[in-house]
Amino acid sequence: METKMKTEITLFTAIFILAISAAGLSSQEVPHSVGPAPIVNDNTPFIHQNDAAIGTRYFVQVSSSPTFTLGKAFMESCTITNIGSPVPITFPGGLMYRNGIVYTYNQSAPYQLWSVDTSSGVNTLLFNMTGVPQTNLTGMMWDGTTVYGLSTSITASQIFTINMTTGVCTPIGTASATCAGGIMLLGRMGAASPMYAIDIVADNSYRVNKTTGAFTLLGPLGVNINFGQDGSLDPNDNTIYVACYSTGPELRKFDEGTGGFGPVLCTYTAQITGLACVAMGTAQGTQLTRCRNGLNIPIIDNGWGRDSVQVILGNGCSITDVNLRIDTVVHTWDSDLKFYLQKNTTGAQVINSVGGSGDNFIGTVLNDSATVPIASGTAPFTGSFIPSSPLNVFNGPFTSGYWKLSISDTAGGDTGFLRAWCLVITYQCPVGGIQTIEIPNYYFLNQNYPNPFNPVTNIKFGIPESGNVRLVVYDILGREVTTLLNEHKNPGTYEVKFDASQLASGIYFYSLQTERVTETKRMLLVK
């Protein structure tokens, strides 16, 4: 008997209320320090301006003087959940995310590198670092190829490389007073990508030459920062975030164009001395989900049912994990069926005649890390199972192309249909996981960049499924100014340029509108 699957789609009606308030910022005359800030009793109301970004995870070191604790949060939220007990370091210098591992380090001698268990908060000493050129080790970053460190004496700063096997640090160039108090090292993935240092003394940002170690002024931060702090690249949207301390502990964005810090996104209740963003969905790399829904592919007696999906990533990417999700296969006598996944010449028989006389595969996830073998499950196999043959044969260097799912019906007397399936790939790329085709797992609308702008800005958004998409700009009174986009779009990530040369300075709103969601953000035009 054929089973009919029904999908209910709910339309969300978005109502946004515009509320504008002005607040003055005064400078804070506090001696610059690379040490922890005073204890803060912060009763400032929680500010959360970007619900669309929920999903990206980040880890932090929270100062609860005199100890420090690992914490976690969702991006652009300052609500921290502590993990485990205080770390065994007198004053940790920050956090770094590399190859699926979060690290922390001692700011002062003895300079040590520790790995951090992001589930338990337990720190494990890896090695002592030798050759750190200046007194304070204040920054570390990985550009996908090399790990760099930043050290300062508060009168001069210097960068160096770190051998992640031996702990040997090799200075680059000489100490420079141009950047007197380098407190934070920031940058993008890619050996040729720029690297930045944040100066706590002059409140400036600098470009750092990875070859010569020279510091070149980029621009003023626009705020007076104090005490230890850290920053990190969000691998999901390539935004650089900083947990800094001006009038209090806060989260901001770093503008690579101006070299300044953006407005406060939210405020913390304690000082944050380390920040490490991790990829959406996993701490082991970027996760990409490609689904085929709404199918009606016959699985014929003593024959085959086949479907394929294309996956394209950037150069040099490597797969670290593959899961296969059989969302819906309708078929009686499950044991008649054999499932195969194939990519080029690599293949695996992931389901081999299981389920006896049971019917259907509904929400069946094949995952090498599961605990129950698929052969021990029962129809319709809803849940997570170890496949008949491991999926880790697909791990390793990635080549773009088609992945094929084939289902063999080995007996006569009944037929079936493949209705929906998904391929979930976890991967890492040396250039930050940049994909030729980006297929997000969720709807998102990024903050426009640059912002404020004059007169052109870019708006990036992503949709996980096909449908009509409208991108509309409104003025502060809610009147429609222009429609930037109104057309059918396939799943993917898109960027639209908005030219406001014909508009007056002021606050505007842009809204992403689909059949499922509506998301709205604010932008500022300054002429």
Side-chain angles (χ1 to χ4, degrees):
M1 181 179 67
E2 181 177 331
T3 303
K4 184 178 293 184
M5 306 298 297
K6 296 182 179 179
T7 303
E8 296 183 356
I9 301 176
T10 303
L11 291 178
F12 292 93
T13 303
I15 302 174
F16 60 90
I17 302 173
L18 314 181
I20 308 299
S21 62
L25 290 179
S26 58
S27 62
Q28 182 189 30
E29 297 300 328
V30 177
H32 293 289
S33 167
V34 295
I39 294 294
V40 176
N41 292 319
D42 187 355
N43 296 317
T44 304
F46 167 62
I47 302 171
H48 186 190
Q49 298 176 338
N50 186 6
D51 288 329
I54 290 296
T56 299
R57 295 184 298 160
Y58 72 105
F59 294 99
V60 292
Q61 282 172 339
V62 183
S63 171
S64 51
S65 185
T67 61
F68 299 82
T69 304
L70 182 71
K72 62 182 179 179
F74 288 108
M75 203 64 258
E76 299 198 22
S77 164
C78 289
T79 301
I80 303 298
T81 301
N82 287 342
I83 303 172
S85 304
V87 303
I89 307 175
T90 302
F91 185 63
L95 295 176
M96 178 184 71
Y97 178 65
R98 173 182 177 267
N99 277 342
I101 300 174
V102 175
Y103 298 88
T104 188
Y105 48 94
N106 297 46
Q107 186 187 91
S108 55
Y111 308 109
Q112 298 171 318
L113 188 72
W114 305 68
S115 65
V116 183
D117 187 319
T118 54
S119 298
S120 65
V122 172
N123 288 38
T124 302
L125 177 62
L126 300 179
F127 51 69
N128 289 338
M129 288 182 275
T130 59
V132 176
Q134 301 297 312
T135 308
N136 300 285
L137 171 55
T138 54
M140 283 180 64
M141 69 153 287
W142 178 58
D143 70 356
T145 302
T146 305
V147 174
Y148 293 90
L150 175 67
S151 61
T152 182
S153 64
I154 307 302
T155 58
S157 302
Q158 189 170 6
I159 65 167
F160 52 94
T161 60
I162 304 172
N163 186 308
M164 293 297 286
T165 302
T166 65
V168 172
C169 300
T170 304
I172 301 175
T174 58
S176 172
T178 300
C179 176
I183 192 68
M184 194 188 312
L185 200 59
L186 306 171
R188 294 182 175 278
M189 298 292 282
S193 298
M195 185 165 68
Y196 310 100
I198 304 302
D199 182 9
I200 199 173
V201 174
D203 294 320
N204 288 330
S205 62
Y206 299 87
R207 273 183 174 267
V208 188
N209 188 303
K210 295 179 180 178
T211 302
T212 66
F215 295 84
T216 303
L217 178 65
L218 180 60
L221 301 179
V223 295
N224 177 21
I225 61 171
N226 308 278
F227 314 110
Q229 48 224 292
D230 199 16
S232 177
L233 172 75
D234 183 346
N236 302 283
D237 62 6
N238 278 335
T239 298
I240 297 177
Y241 290 90
V242 291
C244 58
Y245 195 109
S246 57
T247 57
E250 59 207 14
L251 181 68
R252 297 175 182 260
K253 292 181 182 180
F254 174 65
D255 188 324
E256 294 178 84
T258 66
F261 286 174
V264 174
L265 299 173
C266 57
T267 57
Y268 299 100
T269 57
Q271 180 195 5
I272 303 300
T273 60
L275 186 151
C277 300
V278 297
M280 172 69 184
T282 174
Q284 302 301 317
T286 304
Q287 193 175 83
L288 173 69
T289 300
R290 294 301 309 271
C291 291
R292 293 278 291 160
N293 297 309
L295 304 175
N296 198 38
I297 297 174
I299 305 170
I300 61 177
D301 285 340
N302 296 301
W304 295 84
R306 293 187 175 94
D307 192 47
S308 62
V309 63
Q310 186 181 29
V311 179
I312 304 177
L313 304 179
N315 294 331
C317 297
S318 181
I319 294 177
T320 59
D321 188 50
V322 173
N323 290 349
L324 177 63
R325 201 164 70 220
I326 310 298
D327 281 333
T328 310
V329 164
V330 177
H331 193 284
T332 56
W333 289 92
D334 280 353
S335 60
D336 290 355
L337 302 181
K338 298 177 184 289
F339 292 67
Y340 301 84
L341 183 65
Q342 184 171 356
K343 171 66 169 65
N344 296 334
T345 59
T346 302
Q349 186 183 72
V350 292
I351 299 178
N352 183 19
S353 302
V354 300
S357 61
D359 300 340
N360 307 330
F361 291 83
I362 307 296
T364 307
V365 178
L366 300 175
N367 181 356
D368 288 344
S369 300
T371 57
V372 179
I374 186 72
S376 300
T378 57
F381 295 97
T382 301
S384 187
F385 300 92
I386 303 170
S388 299
S389 297
L391 289 162
N392 61 18
V393 295
F394 298 103
N395 293 357
F398 179 85
T399 55
S400 298
Y402 286 88
W403 296 65
K404 182 186 295 183
L405 176 66
S406 301
I407 305 173
S408 170
D409 186 342
T410 62
D414 51 7
T415 59
F417 296 89
L418 169 62
R419 296 284 173 77
W421 67 285
C422 294
L423 187 66
V424 183
I425 297 174
T426 302
Y427 66 97
Q428 295 174 338
C429 298
V431 292
I434 298 175
Q435 306 168 34
T436 305
I437 298 178
E438 295 181 66
I439 307 296
N441 299 330
Y442 58 100
Y443 289 90
F444 71 84
L445 177 64
N446 282 354
Q447 186 64 50
N448 64 301
Y449 178 84
N451 187 47
F453 67 99
N454 177 30
V456 177
T457 190
N458 298 296
I459 300 171
K460 187 175 183 180
F461 67 89
I463 56 174
E465 56 188 351
S466 300
N468 193 70
V469 176
R470 295 185 76 233
L471 186 61
V472 185
V473 177
Y474 299 92
D475 64 16
I476 197 170
L477 298 179
R479 297 173 300 196
E480 185 172 320
V481 173
T482 185
T483 299
L484 300 177
L485 187 70
N486 185 13
E487 60 188 70
H488 184 275
K489 287 291 186 184
N490 291 323
T493 300
Y494 300 90
E495 189 165 312
V496 177
K497 190 176 296 293
F498 173 42
D499 186 342
S501 55
Q502 304 302 313
L503 298 177
S505 297
I507 295 173
Y508 293 87
F509 294 83
Y510 57 101
S511 178
L512 176 69
Q513 301 167 4
T514 72
E515 292 180 347
R516 289 189 180 272
V517 299
T518 296
E519 297 176 5
T520 302
K521 292 186 182 297
R522 184 175 68 172
M523 57 185 169
L524 178 61
L525 172 62
V526 179
K527 292 187 175 181

